[in-house]
Amino acid sequence: MEKRENFKSRIGFIMTSAGCAIGLGNVWRFPFITGQYGGAAFVLFYLVFLVLLGLPIMVMEFAVGRASAKSSVRSFHALQPKGSKWHLFGYTAAAGNYLLMMFYTTVAGWMLSYTVKSARGMFSGMSPDEVSSVFGTMLANPAEQVGWMAVVVIIGFAICLRGLKSGVEKASTFIMTSLLFLMLVLVVRAVTLPGAGSGLAFYLKPDFSKMVSSGIGEVIFAAMGQSFFTLSLGIGSLAIFGSYIGKEKALAGEAVSIISLDTFVALMAGFIIFPTCFAFGVNPGQGPGLIFATLPNIFNAMKFGRVWGTPFFILMSFASLSTVIAVFENIISYAIDMAGWSRRKAVVVNLVLILLLSLPCALGFNLWANATVPGIGNIQDVEDFLVSNNLLPLGSLVYLLFCTTRYGWGFDGFITEANTGSGLKFPKAIRLYVTWILPLIIIGIWITGYVQKFFIK
């Protein structure tokens, strides 16, 4: 078995872990869901729930990873009480990472495709209807769909092939630094557009009457769900990075750094989207089509629109690739831990496997468009539903119970690991909350997700 690598630096660990958490949920979903639920009032609830829900579970994933020094598929073997069956969840977590990549690689391919389209000036001179039709034409073309998906898979595994320090850590640090720089440039451009003030007011001034009109319960649940899912918790995709770090720093402080970076990216995305949409009279809450159908039209209307549109789609590509690279590293670690393979063999086998597993989603918009599940949707919708509505919340519940109950690792084992090292400590005083209240909240999120999907139309 290959010698286990560790991160070269603390900043590398933070950037890589943040890269896993930061993805299209931050720069794609957060702005339009904020637009749907009234702007600043939604953001306030989102920030509160990020701390109450996301932070404890992230610390637990890191603690399980660091204490075991194994991937999620082997970590429970090392920490579980003798004779217990917690390790079986490790295989579910592994399946969750594969399932996530089965549709995420296709979406990341869309971002790369639009980067190239924008750079070539494809949208210049197009009418709004023509711009909207570009996305539909791309989805209907199986060769284009599979081609861009394959590019994402090859880039991701090529970086992972270089190892943790030379590949994953170096690439993640570059991608995250570039992403933050591009965001700041685009924010400056957005807030200086004529009419941008209305968008900033919508985004920054809480208007609780908008919450009432949307339904307070629905808004609170949406904020709770967004704060929970944005961090990619529950399938061990962060635990692996805990296994690569030393004991110098307590884990709560590291989790706060990562969540802060994740939140900063989401909030900056809002500073790009809302001023831009209000400046051009566009509804920012119109859903996923905002990115592919509406924003290219806005960039067309700007002076030097191509100069601003291309960096925006590069930003989107970086956000998606950072998650792909992090999850691929997780997948590679399974083969190394379970089968004792070399990194090269693990990369080659999984590259072929992910290419094959990603085909149904890429073809689900064209050749296999008739393959749908009633109440859920097409192949991508089904895969997303399995991950987002099931594996993430239920997986988080498993980590929570494992770290807090005497039937698992137990609170004492968890708190000792989490608070080893200098820096911010995990407060023992919230033991009652994480043991009894937080599990009920997660179960509530899971059940409400089903109710909204199948019973509320």
Side-chain angles (χ1 to χ4, degrees):
M1 184 179 292
E2 284 196 351
K3 183 178 181 297
R4 191 174 189 81
E5 285 189 271
N6 288 314
F7 282 107
K8 185 177 181 181
S9 65
R10 179 174 174 240
I11 191 69
F13 159 69
I14 290 173
M15 287 295 194
T16 306
S17 299
C20 183
I22 292 168
L24 297 176
N26 300 73
V27 293
W28 179 12
R29 191 172 188 268
F30 176 77
F32 81 70
I33 202 170
T34 301
Q36 285 176 343
Y37 289 109
F42 172 87
V43 174
L44 285 176
F45 280 98
Y46 166 74
L47 295 174
V48 170
F49 289 130
L50 205 58
V51 175
L52 292 179
L53 304 183
L55 184 59
I57 299 168
M58 179 177 284
V59 175
M60 289 173 186
E61 274 207 35
F62 281 145
V64 169
R66 189 169 74 171
S68 65
K70 301 286 184 185
S71 66
S72 57
V73 83
R74 296 293 294 177
S75 56
F76 290 93
H77 288 82
L79 302 176
Q80 68 185 8
K82 190 173 181 180
S84 62
K85 302 293 183 184
W86 292 93
H87 65 276
L88 295 177
F89 171 71
Y91 305 114
T92 304
N97 281 272
Y98 279 101
L99 193 54
L100 176 62
M101 289 298 100
M102 285 166 64
F103 65 89
Y104 205 93
T105 50
T106 294
V107 180
W110 298 346
M111 303 305 169
L112 288 181
S113 171
Y114 264 62
T115 300
V116 172
K117 286 176 168 60
S118 180
R120 290 172 52 204
M122 181 175 179
F123 302 113
S124 300
M126 280 188 171
S127 69
D129 287 342
E130 288 172 332
V131 169
S132 297
S133 71
V134 170
F135 186 57
T137 302
M138 180 183 71
L139 294 182
N141 186 333
E144 188 173 4
Q145 283 279 92
V146 172
W148 283 112
M149 175 272 289
V151 170
V152 169
V153 173
I154 290 167
I155 290 173
F157 278 116
I159 289 169
C160 291
L161 180 61
R162 296 179 59 83
L164 180 70
K165 292 177 186 173
S166 300
V168 175
E169 182 177 355
K170 190 176 286 186
S172 296
T173 303
F174 169 77
I175 285 173
M176 293 306 300
T177 305
S178 302
L179 184 148
L180 294 172
F181 172 74
L182 283 171
M183 290 204 94
L184 292 173
V185 170
L186 288 167
V187 165
V188 171
R189 180 66 188 108
V191 300
T192 54
L193 287 169
S198 300
L200 289 172
F202 174 83
Y203 190 39
L204 298 177
K205 291 182 182 176
D207 182 353
F208 293 99
S209 65
K210 292 176 181 173
M211 279 189 65
V212 174
S213 62
S214 296
I216 293 175
E218 186 175 341
V219 173
I220 289 175
F221 174 77
M224 199 181 284
Q226 176 65 15
S227 66
F228 185 74
F229 296 127
T230 187
L231 299 173
S232 303
L233 299 170
I235 53 175
S237 52
L238 285 171
I240 184 63
F241 303 119
S243 77
Y244 289 142
I245 57 172
K247 307 273 189 179
E248 297 81 15
K249 292 284 185 180
L251 294 172
E254 306 297 77
V256 167
S257 297
I258 292 158
I259 288 175
S260 298
L261 196 52
D262 179 89
T263 305
F264 177 78
V265 169
L267 294 177
M268 287 301 102
F271 278 110
I272 297 170
I273 299 292
F274 294 112
T276 304
C277 285
F278 275 77
F280 288 91
V282 169
N283 172 21
Q286 62 184 273
L290 179 70
I291 299 295
F292 299 108
T294 305
L295 285 176
N297 283 313
I298 292 177
F299 292 130
N300 270 350
M302 283 185 188
K303 192 174 183 180
F304 306 116
R306 189 167 160 187
V307 173
W308 301 111
T310 303
F312 176 80
F313 288 110
I314 293 173
L315 164 70
M316 300 296 290
S317 298
F318 278 172
S320 55
L321 280 173
S322 67
T323 301
V324 167
I325 293 164
V327 177
F328 279 1
E329 177 62 22
N330 226 348
I331 286 171
I332 290 164
S333 73
Y334 300 148
I336 294 173
D337 277 359
M338 293 292 290
W341 289 355
S342 68
R343 176 171 287 267
R344 178 174 291 277
K345 182 176 180 180
V347 165
V348 171
V349 172
N350 277 292
L351 187 150
V352 175
L353 188 58
I354 293 291
L355 281 173
L356 293 174
L357 290 173
S358 299
L359 282 176
C361 178
L363 299 176
F365 297 92
N366 38 76
L367 299 181
W368 295 350
N370 292 327
T372 60
V373 173
I376 299 178
N378 62 20
I379 293 172
Q380 184 192 53
D381 294 329
V382 172
E383 293 170 346
D384 187 15
F385 172 75
L386 291 173
V387 174
S388 300
N389 290 67
N390 295 280
L391 293 178
L392 293 180
L394 296 180
S396 294
L397 184 63
V398 171
Y399 272 101
L400 198 55
L401 296 177
F402 183 70
C403 290
T404 57
T405 68
R406 61 188 177 89
Y407 302 104
W409 189 20
F411 191 78
D412 291 340
F414 156 69
I415 206 75
T416 299
E417 180 62 43
N419 289 343
T420 297
S422 62
L424 183 67
K425 309 294 185 185
F426 192 92
K428 294 181 182 179
I430 66 167
R431 179 173 184 171
L432 177 67
Y433 167 71
V434 296
T435 304
W436 298 104
I437 301 173
L438 187 51
L440 293 176
I441 293 173
I442 293 174
I443 291 170
I445 290 174
W446 177 58
I447 292 172
T448 306
Y450 268 82
V451 170
Q452 287 191 337
K453 193 154 197 74
F454 295 105
F455 300 104
I456 299 176
K457 300 297 181 184

